[in-house]
Amino acid sequence: MNNSPPPIISPKSSPFAHNNQSVRALMFKVQLAVLPALLVHLYLFGFGIVVQWLLALTTLLIVEYTMLKLRNRPVRPFLTDMSALITITALVFCVPPGAPWWIIVTGTAFALIFGKHLYGGLGYNPFNPAMLGYAFLLISFPVQMTQWNLPAEVANFYITFSDAFSLIFTGKIEGISLDMITSATPLGKLQTDLTQGVGVIESLAHPLTQTVEAPPNINADSPFHVIHQLVDLNSWEWINVAFLIGGLWLLYTRSIRWQYPVGFLSSLALIAFIFHTYDPDTYPPVSFILLSGGTMLAAFFIITDPVTSCTTPKGRLIFAAGIGVLVYVIRTWGIFPDGIAFAILLMNIAVPLIDQYTQPRVYGHPR
Amino acid sequence: MLTAIVIFVGLALVFGLLLGYAAVRFKVEGNPMAEQIDKILPQTQCGQCNYPGCKPYAEALAKGEADVNLCIPGGNEVMLSIAEITGLEPKALDESVAAEHTPKETAFIDEDVCIGCVLCIKACPVDAIIGATKLMHTVIQSECTGCDKCAPVCPVDCIEMRAPETTLETWQWPEPTSEPKPLASQYLDVNSTTEQRQ
Amino acid sequence: MMTRSPFSRTIIQGIAAVYPMAKRWLHRFHGGIYPKHHKSRSLQHPIKETFIAETLTLPIKTTRGQKIEWLVQVGDTVQKNQCLVQAAKENKKGFFVPLHAPTSGTIKAITEAEFPHPSGLTTQAIIIAPDFKQTTLQNALKVSGKQPDSPQKLKDILLHAGIVGLGGAGFPTYAKIPAQKDRIHTLIINGAECEPFITCDDVLMQTQAEPILQGAEIVAQALGVKQIVCGIESNKPQAIQAMQTAANQIKSVPITVKTVEAVYPMGGEKQLVLELTGIEMPVKTHAIDSGLLVFNVATFAAIFKAVTQGEPLTQRLVTVAGFELQTPYNTYALLGTPFIDLVNAGQPKNPIQYPLIMGGPMMGFQVAHNEVPVIKTTNCILANPPEPSTFTMPCIRCGECMDACPVNLLPQQLYWHSQAHEFDKVEKLNVFDCIECGCCSYVCPSHIPLVQYYRHAKSEIKTLHAEQQAAELAKQRYEFRLARIEREKQEREARLKAKKEAVKKHSPTAEPGKSAPKKPSVAAAAARAAAAKRAAAKANKNTEHSGTDEQKSPPLSARQKAIETAQKQAAAKVGSKVATAKDPRDSAKKSAKKAAVIAAAKRRTQAQKTTDTITTEEKKVTPQPPSNIATAPPLEDAKAKRQKAMEAAKKRAAERKARQSKQEKTE
């Protein structure tokens, strides 16, 4: 039958059109959406995060290049896909801005090597690499990982780039006692207070330090400051709001799926509401739970990592709701102040099971 | 102390009886392992395992008398599933044979050359050749397993193994390769006419 | 999902202005995509005059075992609409619709030619050299012009007109129509041409609205259909208007023209049915099982022409478009016109150096060579240069494909398992519900050729099932053979024993006793040595191993089939030798073979003399005497030739042995 020679090239199947979306563009959008939170962070906690981010970026480039070479993969497409950038961005936001340099370097290297490349690279990792790196750091270096520098307005001291540099590399800033600018996070403080018998209401009524004055190097008339005075939010809550804004933009551009933030935030809010109503003095209010720690960062930027989460629509909701419940449980009864990393890792394990049982009904199949 | 002993002895008795009853009640006839192996064997009945057919090989495997890597048409996949059923260690196929593992072929008799000697009919393990003495033979294509047992016995060498023809019906989409999409310049042949190609 | 009320539609459209994907809430099926239409350019130009190419190639696609009847020979002069080839009367396999001459001319050749298919494989084809006179056979189908009043009459006309589904699938239309009246309650006219670039259905609706709807009316009246629903996408306002006007004139059956959302793949049968009627066709059933019948607009126009004017399907409206064409257009292309000629008429900006696409960009395919002819299912020829190469990234499980899938599959999981060759899991994830629309690949940010993975997986699964069946059959036959050998042995022993006993002057009718119902076998024992097969068939009943009827039937039917194919092969062989002696073997071998053919013919005549010893089945195997060669050759000559053939064969056998021993030595 076949007299003519077969065509030189094996045939390519339809479709011959594409919406020109790409992994890189998707990751870039996520990266863009972090900007508001980054600016707020910069304003509140000083330049620490920039130094940390540059450190992480350098580590990333070295680690990715070496790993891709070792795994015999093309370097250019994978180094420029920006997926690793999102991993380190998430990690940088979790690490205290004043933490020593080796913290972020080991964290980044661990996250990328053990969290991603050893599983086969992008798309094959079962665990969220950023959270794996964070959990590794939190378990290994608990002291460095729980000491945050105070917001500039509270500490009355704004950390400039050179300050941040010397703090991260030498561990001190000239002419300043470190105790004055570092403390536990609100979540950490609340946990300590509760163990000492101080009630939630009282604990939240007393902010980290008593002196609330405008920091010297910030213009008191700046619009931000005005808003700040109008809306009574503490610094951590501001960061969460910034993440929320970025996240909503991601939802609008369809870069992330709505099931993640909705499932996570609603389950977290619901469980917080139930316990707060039951005993307001032991369990913090919903607004505190939603706007403290890394809640919004997790809701829009970490649990939305598609590689390590469920693929079915129902599964995504279950996955996100499961994280919400676990976060509350670990925050309230666990020994760590914030349980997001562990909650995510635990739910990552459950992904195949959830996917198995939440398959949607295919057209024409019995309901 | 005594109560404990009594309880455990009692439990042992109960479970022993239960197991004994189950062994009688649910007794399985025949050798299920041989059946299981027979099911996954390709049933070409080619005898390349040095057993007369697939079933004898399966039975030998079940008795533990044969190696797991003897089934050549089955290839690596069948070897692995045999190892799984029998619990034996997987063993690589003989390399020279494994390399030759080709897609299924079937026997064709050149009917003009066939002298009607019935040797191939006798050799066929699945009775897929029809014909009679001094009459030409033909192969029932749908029943030929491609075991290649008939070709060597033919005195006039009129049997050949042929890969099935690819037609519009049987053509399959190839698996996508990771190679990048071809560029326009690679398609120079598209404008040649049938005459030119022939 | 319910149909949206106008109010909620407005709200959704408002949301869609800021959030485009809200448009997905407007239609009933899941997912869907909104590719750029690219339709306006080919709509600007009026329908181009039909162009007659220098040669027309009409490929004939048959399925295995299909028998066809040639009505013309090489050198014949044909008129337009003359029937060239039709299904043979004894053909029982599959559906084959006849093919008619698209124009007048002479049959230049009947040969192998490439079929428009991604594989570039060839089929038999009729090559016509047109005389450019267009001498037409009027009322080629000899219809009375009256509307058929029963489904069977309609089916007959459609079969003889060679009409197939013109939307793309190409399934013979007559075979889709049920033979009983009143099985269909709703007739659906598919005017949802959702693929980008294609405008032929749009143009057809604008210009031929009345024939389309009258065609639908004919079908509706023949089948007793209660209502006709026509679905047209909202991006074809002129077509909607034309169809609405035409619909108002038809009184016999209620016709509704519905505007549907312009979303891909709205034109898919399952999707359109759900959108128009709210019926979700259950899995593994056809539209007819739900009381529905769906045809493309072009099919209805063809039905109208066939029934009223007796005109067979010899041309179709084709869109010739693409980024590379300066003047994309629509034309009534004659079947058999080479693609490249049509494309060149559209003034390509650069010479075409890449494969053309038949069909739209979403579901079409690249042809292997650009000279392939237009066939009945060619709705569009697309000259789009291949996209620049993009690196395929790993799947990041983003779920875009799942949101786009119109049948609600899990494309990324299907891909995951297809890639790992876990085809059983792929099948469990309902890969066979995939309509290969290409939505998933279209939205994939990693640029994974998902559809090709599914196509590959589907064919692999089919092969696997076929292999399993074959293995099961082989097993049965092997066991049966063992049983037969065992039984023959016993019979031989029994015979021996009986003889001995006869010698000892015992009763000769004494039974061996081992198996009771063997009387007929013993009686036939003498004949059985020569007729092993018949014995085998009988033994089937007697032996314990394959005693049941169920086990008996499959090998027998398979045998029947094989015998038929063997007959056909033999006939074909003789035929091919007469027609073309293109056998590449060396001349000595050829002459030996020829001699052998004659010898075989002689053997056959001998065989006929000894029919009593040959079973009926074997008679069937004997091929029909080759008409051209074996017309009574002299007996001595044949004998000599046979001897020569034997010698040649022996020589070859010796050669083979020598070769083998040589090989062994070298090893």
Side-chain angles (χ1 to χ4, degrees), chain C residues 544-596:
Chain C
E544 292 172 355
H545 267 271
S546 42
T548 63
D549 284 336
E550 198 186 298
Q551 272 170 316
K552 187 189 139 201
S553 53
L556 266 185
S557 64
R559 175 181 305 270
Q560 212 72 37
K561 275 180 218 158
I563 288 161
E564 272 168 32
T565 43
Q567 271 180 332
K568 209 188 75 194
Q569 272 172 356
K573 212 161 205 168
V574 171
S576 69
K577 250 168 228 154
V578 179
T580 50
K582 59 178 176 179
D583 205 328
R585 297 179 195 195
D586 55 342
S587 58
K589 207 168 175 183
K590 204 187 260 172
S591 66
K593 207 166 168 183
K594 205 168 180 181

Side-chain angles (χ1 to χ4, degrees), chain B:
Chain B
M1 180 65 189
L2 196 70
T3 18
I5 290 173
V6 168
I7 287 170
F8 275 95
V9 167
L11 277 175
L13 270 175
V14 168
F15 282 117
L17 284 172
L18 256 175
L19 282 174
Y21 173 73
V24 179
R25 177 75 178 74
F26 302 108
K27 194 175 178 211
V28 182
E29 293 292 330
N31 190 344
M33 193 191 272
E35 290 277 306
Q36 248 179 311
I37 298 171
D38 197 33
K39 229 173 204 172
I40 54 155
L41 288 175
Q43 304 295 341
T44 48
Q45 319 295 352
C46 63
Q48 291 179 79
C49 51
N50 291 326
Y51 288 90
C54 291
K55 198 156 191 190
Y57 177 47
E59 278 159 3
L61 271 168
K63 282 184 206 149
E65 291 166 357
D67 266 338
V68 294
N69 62 346
L70 298 180
C71 185
I72 287 151
N76 234 5
E77 274 170 48
V78 167
M79 184 274 291
L80 286 176
S81 8
I82 292 174
E84 203 169 286
I85 294 171
T86 54
L88 295 170
E89 193 79 0
K91 235 176 173 181
L93 292 178
D94 201 354
E95 253 179 53
S96 59
V97 188
E100 281 172 30
H101 183 64
T102 44
K104 188 189 166 182
E105 291 184 328
T106 51
F108 274 83
I109 294 179
D110 191 336
E111 283 150 13
D112 302 331
V113 182
C114 175
I115 53 167
C117 67
V118 302
L119 284 177
C120 54
I121 296 183
K122 284 180 184 157
C124 181
V126 289
D127 286 346
I129 305 178
I130 40 177
T133 319
K134 302 223 168 152
L135 289 169
M136 65 129 194
H137 306 337
T138 196
V139 179
I140 309 174
Q141 288 305 321
S142 61
E143 288 174 14
C144 177
T145 62
C147 66
D148 208 15
K149 271 183 172 171
C150 48
V153 298
C154 180
V156 288
D157 200 11
C158 72
I159 303 179
E160 62 169 339
M161 303 301 290
R162 279 190 218 162
E165 250 175 350
T166 317
T167 62
L168 286 176
E169 271 179 283
T170 57
W171 183 81
Q172 299 187 344
W173 276 100
E175 192 169 22
T177 47
S178 52
E179 79 193 50
K181 281 177 197 165
L183 299 168
S185 60
Q186 287 170 279
Y187 285 118
L188 288 177
D189 189 41
V190 290
N191 289 327
S192 64
T193 61
T194 316
E195 288 79 43
Q196 281 165 354
R197 287 198 297 278
Q198 284 163 358

Side-chain angles (χ1 to χ4, degrees), chain A residues 1 16 18 252 257 309 364-365, chain C residues 18 122 280 361 403 433 444:
Chain A
M1 284 284 261
F16 303 100
H18 199 272
Y252 167 69
R257 308 282 132 182
S309 51
H365 283 252
Chain C
V18 282
T122 57
E280 195 173 300
D403 288 351
D433 285 308
C444 180

Side-chain angles (χ1 to χ4, degrees), chain A residues 1-2 13-16 18-19 21-23 81 122-123 252 254 257 306-307 309 311 361-365, chain C residues 18 21 112 122 270 280 283 361 364 387 396-397 400 402-403 407-408 412-413 433 441-442 444-445 447 455:
Chain A
M1 284 284 261
N2 190 2
S13 163
S14 59
F16 303 100
H18 199 272
N19 65 356
Q21 184 66 261
S22 73
V23 173
D81 67 15
L122 175 66
Y252 167 69
R254 289 175 59 79
R257 308 282 132 182
V307 176
S309 51
T311 49
R361 187 186 68 90
V362 177
Y363 178 103
H365 283 252
Chain C
V18 282
M21 275 301 141
E112 293 278 310
T122 57
K270 290 174 172 183
E280 195 173 300
V283 64
E387 284 176 29
I396 56 164
R397 316 211 309 166
E400 280 287 344
M402 197 186 60
D403 288 351
V407 281
N408 212 0
Q412 79 276 59
Q413 290 194 12
D433 285 308
S441 302
Y442 178 82
C444 180
H447 294 257
R455 284 181 165 158

